Amino acid sequence: AQSVAQPEDQVNVAEGNPLTVKCTYSVSGNPYLFWYVQYPNRGLQFLLKYITGDNLVKGSYGFEAEFNKSQTSFHLKKPSALVSDSALYFCAVRPRNTGGFKTIFGAGTRLFVKA
Amino acid sequence: ETGVTQTPRHLVMGMTNKKSLKCEQHLGHNAMYWYKQSAKKPLELMFVYSLEERVENNSVPSRFSPECPNSSHLFLHLHTLQPEDSALYLCASSHNRDEDNSPLHFGNGTRLTVT
């Protein structure tokens, strides 16, 4: 079965420190990869996506993600965390050539950034 | 504003009630989605409409009935729900093209409580 795993329910970091939110997936082929963020009482917002090419993808708010094909991972990173980055982060995967309608989400990782 | 508007934001209903959730997108997208978000679980895709035609129905109970009268509007009609249906219901839209890598744009959701 196709799935997305976010192994950490919660990640705690101090403001100014680098952060990593992990994601691995089990989807056949070379899927498209996405990260979304959800702030309290809001819907999900798109952060970045990987289609092809450079394994390091840059997105909104200073976030970036590193794709590793051999490990089927797509970890979200930021060099210096802000308190305002505290939110719920979702990794998502979309198989290619499926009409674009099936996006598989992970269960989410809650990020806490302490001042 | 996210470009995708959902009403109401909160809804409390009894198990014998009938209610409807509404979603409207102002982004010119051609696909619309209903997702269910429950705590600590991956987002569950419920229904997908592309150009007003239903293209995905993920084994959702018949007490949930979607309607898509045009490409900008999406409804979810609810009747005889169960307490376990309490969740955040998210509407999303996307502009699907052949590349099928366009991100989803989400509304802020309707928090549904079934008593």
Side-chain angles (χ1 to χ4, degrees):
Chain A
Q2 301 180 83
S3 63
V4 176
Q6 294 182 240
E8 303 150 316
D9 286 341
Q10 183 171 313
V11 170
N12 297 313
V13 298
E15 189 173 33
N17 283 3
L19 70 86
T20 298
V21 182
K22 296 179 180 177
C23 172
T24 59
Y25 59 92
S26 177
V27 175
S28 58
N30 297 308
Y32 301 115
L33 308 171
F34 302 82
W35 275 101
Y36 291 84
V37 60
Q38 185 177 32
Y39 297 101
N41 301 313
R42 304 294 296 271
L44 280 69
Q45 296 177 36
F46 168 70
L47 272 181
L48 50 79
K49 67 180 177 182
Y50 175 81
I51 302 173
T52 188
D54 193 350
N55 289 345
L56 188 65
V57 178
K58 294 190 182 299
S60 307
Y61 312 119
F63 283 93
E64 55 193 27
E66 187 169 17
F67 167 62
N68 186 314
K69 185 174 182 177
S70 63
Q71 297 183 2
T72 60
S73 67
F74 189 54
H75 299 332
L76 182 70
K77 300 175 185 254
K78 188 173 183 181
S80 178
L82 300 172
V83 172
S84 57
D85 292 330
S86 299
L88 189 56
Y89 290 82
F90 290 92
C91 180
V93 175
R94 184 182 297 163
R96 297 191 187 224
N97 303 316
T98 58
F101 302 120
K102 279 196 169 178
T103 302
I104 305 162
F105 285 86
T109 297
R110 189 164 297 281
L111 173 67
F112 285 103
V113 181
K114 298 179 181 178
Chain B
E1 280 301 318
T2 65
V4 180
T5 304
Q6 289 187 244
T7 55
R9 290 298 308 274
H10 301 272
L11 178 62
V12 179
M13 59 186 289
M15 289 191 284
T16 58
N17 290 159
K18 289 185 180 181
K19 296 285 185 183
S20 295
L21 309 185
K22 180 182 176 182
C23 176
E24 184 175 0
Q25 60 98 359
H26 315 277
L27 301 168
H29 288 165
N30 58 7
M32 297 188 76
Y33 310 73
W34 281 117
Y35 280 89
K36 177 183 179 182
Q37 184 178 16
S38 305
K40 298 190 177 180
K41 291 176 65 176
L43 267 70
E44 299 173 46
L45 178 62
M46 299 176 72
F47 301 103
V48 181
Y49 278 83
S50 175
L51 298 173
E52 301 145 49
E53 180 181 338
R54 190 188 307 181
V55 296
E56 194 78 32
N57 177 355
N58 278 3
S59 302
V60 179
S62 59
R63 57 186 183 269
F64 295 92
S65 175
E67 178 189 1
C68 187
N70 55 61
S71 60
S72 298
H73 294 86
L74 184 66
F75 295 90
L76 188 62
H77 303 300
L78 316 171
H79 65 97
T80 59
L81 295 191
Q82 304 298 310
E84 60 264 29
D85 296 323
S86 299
L88 182 68
Y89 288 84
L90 292 166
C91 174
S93 68
S94 69
H95 187 181
N96 272 60
R97 302 175 294 265
D98 292 340
E99 299 82 12
D100 69 16
N101 59 42
S102 57
L104 297 167
H105 294 253
F106 286 85
N108 287 332
T110 294
R111 173 70 61 187
L112 174 67
T113 303
V114 181
T115 60

